[in-house]
Structure formats: structure tokens, C-alpha cells
């Protein structure tokens, strides 16, 4: 029933004929899966987006990884990332399309991971995106991250929290650190930031007039939420937040 609900929400959104679909992490609800359970969850996820009489996809699906996909920094392993990427695409990715540069980061490891190489990977990816933009300064950058950027307490449902173990590895967090958030904003200079994780959703404008949209959860308890974003390379952009019950 849960899968059918998600598929119906997706089919209503696909009817708007988006050029891209971005899933902002937590594709699964539980990261501790054995191979059999993982394969079953992959099958279920694919069915939600499977083409059929009620669903005709035109653009690609871009998947951001979340804590329920690979875990927080203290528990993320290269094996879990490779398992995710084999099915859902790179956890650090960059796409140039229609005058935009879409930058996806693995936010689960950027603030402190047990595997330091994974943290190096995401930072190297960010610098590659910076270099790409430097070569093509007219590109409009859109940043996608599961963990939202830092904001002062009281601005969103979640307060800014990072819990670490004795080795400094992240065991839980609601937002990225102030240092990482500033680095992302200053280096990438995104026009818009999109994030997930906070089930309630949030909207905030960072310094430099950069909006961040934390999209409310698609789960039924949160109204089956999604959002439609329209952007022009050298012009304005608009976003429409869409609870399932009002989607037309």
C-alpha cells in the first residue's frame, strides 16, 4: 500500500512532464539491510518509477543518498556506497544541462567519516564542480544535498545538531556544520540549494540571497509532499510546493 501511494504521487508529478526528477535521499527507510532485503527494496523502488499506462517518464531520475541509504559518517563504508551507486548512480555527481550545473554531494561523509578517503572524495568532487563552473561562468549552479545547510536555531523544525563519537565521526546530524555550509555557499556559489532529511520541510535564505528549499517528506504522514522547480539559465526561477492532496 505504501509503495502504491508513492507511485501515485510520482505519477501525478510526472504528468507535469519535468525534465529531471531528483529524489533527495532516504530512498529506503533502513540502512542495515542484508543482500536479500536490499534487493527487495531495490525492486520496490524501481516499481514506483516503472513506466506504465499511469506513468510515462521523459527525463532522468537523479538520486541523492541519505542516512537511511548508507548511514551516517561513523558507519558509512565503501561497500555500502558501491552497493548504492551500482543501482542508483554516483553519490557525488555533476550534470550540465540547459545552462545549469546540477551538483549532487554525498553529505553523509562531508562533516566527519570513519573512512577519511570518503570525506576526501566528496571534497575533491566539490572542487571539481568549482573548477567546472570557473571554466563556464555563465552556468547556473543548483546544489542538491540530503543534509540541509546550517541555519540558526528556530528557523526550521529541526534545530542544528551534530553528534559525534569519541573519534569525531558523525553519528547523527540535522544540518551540516557552519564551516561546511559556508564553504559550499562560497565555493560553489549556488543559485538555489535543495535538501531533504527534515521531514517537516523548511525554506530559508542564506547570506548572498541564496534560497534553500528543504522539501517536506513524501510520506503519507506529511501529505505526500513533492515540489516543482522551474528555472531559466539567465533568468528567474520558481518553485511550487505540492502536497499530494492538492496536486493537479
Amino acid at each position: 500500500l505504501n509503495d502504491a501511494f508513492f507511485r501515485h504521487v510520482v505519477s501525478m508529478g510526472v504528468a507535469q512532464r519535468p525534465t529531471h526528477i531528483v529524489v533527495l535521499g532516504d530512498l529506503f527507510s533502513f540502512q542495515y539491510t542484508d543482500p536479500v532485503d536490499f534487493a527487495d527494496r531495490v525492486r520496490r523502488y524501481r516499481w514506483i518509477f516503472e513506466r506504465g499506462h499511469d506513468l510515462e517518464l521523459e527525463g532522468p531520475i537523479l538520486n541523492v543518498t541519505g542516512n537511511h541509504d548508507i548511514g551516517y559518517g561513523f558507519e558509512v563504508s565503501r561497500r555500502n556506497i558501491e552497493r548504492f551507486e551500482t543501482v542508483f548512480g554516483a553519490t557525488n555527481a555533476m550534470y550540465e544541462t540547459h545552462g545549469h550545473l546540477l551538483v549532487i554531494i554525498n553529505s553523509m561523509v562531508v562533516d566527519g567519516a570513519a573512512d577519511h578517503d570518503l570525506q576526501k572524495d566528496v571534497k575533491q568532487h566539490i572542487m571539481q564542480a568549482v573548477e567546472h563552473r570557473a571554466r563556464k561562468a555563465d552556468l547556473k549552479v543548483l546544489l542538491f544535498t540530503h543534509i540541509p545547510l546550517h541555519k540558526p536555531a528556530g528557523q526550521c523544525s529541526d534545530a542544528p545538531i551534530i553528534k559525534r563519537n569519541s573519534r569525531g565521526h558523525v553519528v547523527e546530524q540535522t544540518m551540516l556544520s557552519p564551516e561546511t555550509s559556508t564553504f559550499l555557499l562560497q565555493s560553489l556559489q549556488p543559485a538555489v540549494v535543495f535538501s531533504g532529511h527534515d521531514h517537516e520541510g523548511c525554506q530559508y535564505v542564506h547570506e548572498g540571497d541564496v534560497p534553500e528549499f528543504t522539501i517536506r517528506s513524501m510520506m503519507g504522514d506529511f501529505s505526500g509532499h513533492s515540489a516543482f522547480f522551474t528555472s531559466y539559465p539567465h533568468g528567474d526561477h520558481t518553485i511550487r510546493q505540492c502536497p499530494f492532496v492538492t496536486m493537479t
Side-chain angles (χ1 to χ4, degrees):
L1 182 60
N2 192 54
D3 295 351
F5 172 74
F6 283 151
R7 179 176 173 86
H8 193 58
V9 172
V10 169
S11 69
M12 296 290 285
V14 168
Q16 307 297 316
R17 304 182 67 180
T19 60
H20 297 72
I21 295 174
V22 182
V23 183
L24 289 164
D26 284 353
L27 283 57
F28 298 160
S29 59
F30 186 67
Q31 66 267 39
Y32 306 111
T33 55
D34 60 30
V36 174
D37 190 19
F38 180 80
D40 184 59
R41 289 170 187 255
V42 168
R43 176 192 59 78
R44 292 169 55 195
Y45 184 80
R46 285 175 168 167
W47 178 80
I48 291 170
F49 292 95
E50 185 178 17
R51 288 172 172 80
H53 72 279
D54 61 333
L55 200 159
E56 288 294 336
L57 289 174
E58 295 184 6
I61 301 171
L62 309 179
N63 296 298
V64 181
T65 191
N67 52 291
H68 288 308
D69 302 315
I70 63 172
Y72 285 106
F74 83 103
E75 60 189 337
V76 176
S77 67
R78 181 75 63 178
R79 183 188 69 84
N80 276 0
I81 288 182
E82 290 176 350
R83 184 173 73 165
F84 180 92
E85 292 185 332
T86 297
V87 179
F88 300 112
T91 53
N92 294 305
M94 179 169 49
Y95 306 93
E96 183 179 334
T97 177
H98 299 92
H100 295 74
L101 185 64
L102 281 56
V103 180
I104 295 173
I105 66 167
N106 181 357
S107 58
M108 306 317 305
V109 299
V110 71
D111 270 326
D115 187 333
H116 295 295
D117 287 339
L118 297 177
Q119 194 172 9
K120 291 178 182 177
D121 287 347
V122 66
K123 291 185 176 180
Q124 182 180 28
H125 167 64
I126 293 166
M127 294 314 300
Q128 289 173 345
V130 171
E131 293 168 3
H132 188 96
R133 187 179 185 277
R135 293 192 298 269
K136 298 184 176 181
D138 59 334
L139 288 176
K140 187 174 184 178
V141 177
L142 306 180
L143 174 61
F144 300 88
T145 168
H146 178 66
I147 304 291
L149 272 58
H150 178 81
K151 305 166 192 66
Q155 297 299 313
C156 300
S157 176
D158 284 348
I161 296 172
I162 301 180
K163 297 180 181 179
R164 302 178 185 271
N165 60 19
S166 60
R167 297 184 177 183
H169 308 147
V170 174
V171 299
E172 183 181 350
Q173 66 184 136
T174 57
M175 298 181 190
L176 296 177
S177 67
E179 296 78 12
T180 293
S181 301
T182 298
F183 171 67
L184 289 169
L185 291 169
Q186 292 183 350
S187 61
L188 289 172
Q189 299 181 355
V192 185
V193 179
F194 298 93
S195 55
H197 198 49
D198 184 343
H199 292 178
E200 295 289 350
C202 185
Q203 296 186 30
Y204 183 79
V205 179
H206 294 279
E207 185 176 351
D209 201 29
V210 179
E212 178 180 354
F213 299 102
T214 302
I215 307 303
R216 187 175 169 91
S217 174
M218 189 180 281
M219 293 187 293
D221 287 348
F222 298 90
S223 304
H225 225 82
S226 61
F228 295 97
F229 180 73
T230 302
S231 178
Y232 302 94
H234 305 291
D236 294 335
H237 48 257
T238 61
I239 189 167
R240 182 161 61 102
Q241 304 268 6
C242 296
F244 164 70
V245 292
T246 62
M247 191 183 300
T248 56

